[in-house]
Amino acid sequence: DLLARVREIAIDASGRATGVVYFDRTGALQTQASAAVVVSCNGIGTPRLLLASKSKLFPEGLGNREGLVGRHFMIHPGRYVEGVFAEPFETANFSGNPFFSQQFYETDRGRGFVRGYSLMVYRPFGPTSVAWGDVEPVPWGAGHHAEMQRRFGHTIGIAIMSEDLPEPDNRIELDA
């Protein structure tokens, strides 16, 4: 349930952050003053917030005098698959020793693209990792314990993480 969503960082006449302007649970606009503002909103949320924080001092968004906020975005596309096996694995201590392959990680222009991908085969790293699930979380409710027993010590995952390059056209921008 969304409690609040920050619309912009409020600044004073000298350009110093003084707090945030946000939408509350009802959608009403509110202001929260603060001595400091920490921006840690992930690869999409951070540029969104900085670009939305326009003012006379920052007409293109906070920190965007050079037009680089949101540019060179890298997402590292990835896919995951999990297999649940009937027989439990011999070791269920979940020490977290994944198998990595980067056979196709380096650029090979003969494949027709730049960069590559990493492959990882792994077991979940304990009960929380099993409950979270890479593909589908264990549902809460009446069937939770039965599903945890089915998966815990019985699951193997395979992940593929692609590499992308920080191209100038890969960007986050605001839709008016």
Side-chain angles (χ1 to χ4, degrees):
D1 191 19
L2 184 64
L3 299 177
R5 180 167 191 106
V6 175
R7 185 182 85 173
E8 65 186 85
I9 298 169
I11 62 166
D12 63 19
S14 69
R16 179 170 159 58
T18 59
V20 295
V21 178
Y22 69 95
F23 295 100
D24 68 15
R25 181 178 286 191
T26 68
L29 205 54
Q30 306 286 341
T31 300
Q32 176 63 56
S34 66
V37 174
V38 176
V39 179
S40 180
C41 310
N42 74 38
I44 295 174
T46 295
R48 180 202 66 82
L49 182 56
L50 294 174
L51 291 170
S53 299
K54 293 182 178 183
S55 67
K56 287 182 182 178
L57 289 175
F58 304 103
E60 300 302 317
L62 194 56
N64 196 31
R65 284 195 174 116
E66 303 298 322
L68 295 176
V69 171
R71 285 200 184 263
H72 305 282
F73 180 65
M74 297 172 65
I75 193 165
H76 305 299
R79 290 291 179 254
Y80 308 89
V81 64
E82 287 180 334
V84 181
F85 297 84
E87 294 295 320
F89 296 105
E90 286 183 30
T91 58
N93 66 0
F94 297 94
S95 59
N97 293 311
F99 163 77
F100 282 92
S101 171
Q102 291 189 321
Q103 181 177 354
F104 300 104
Y105 182 74
E106 296 300 327
T107 296
D108 177 355
R109 297 209 183 266
R111 292 193 309 253
F113 62 92
V114 177
R115 298 305 291 185
Y117 65 89
S118 297
L119 174 75
M120 181 174 75
V121 179
Y122 58 94
R123 291 185 318 206
F125 302 108
T128 304
S129 177
V130 172
W132 177 14
D134 283 330
V135 177
E136 182 178 343
V138 173
W140 291 106
H144 179 79
H145 290 288
E147 186 62 15
M148 275 297 288
Q149 282 186 318
R150 185 178 84 84
R151 292 190 199 182
F152 190 75
H154 297 259
T155 307
I156 292 280
I158 300 174
I160 295 177
M161 182 66 68
S162 298
E163 182 67 64
D164 58 346
L165 297 175
E167 299 288 342
D169 291 334
N170 295 350
R171 66 185 303 176
I172 305 301
E173 55 189 4
L174 300 181
D175 184 335

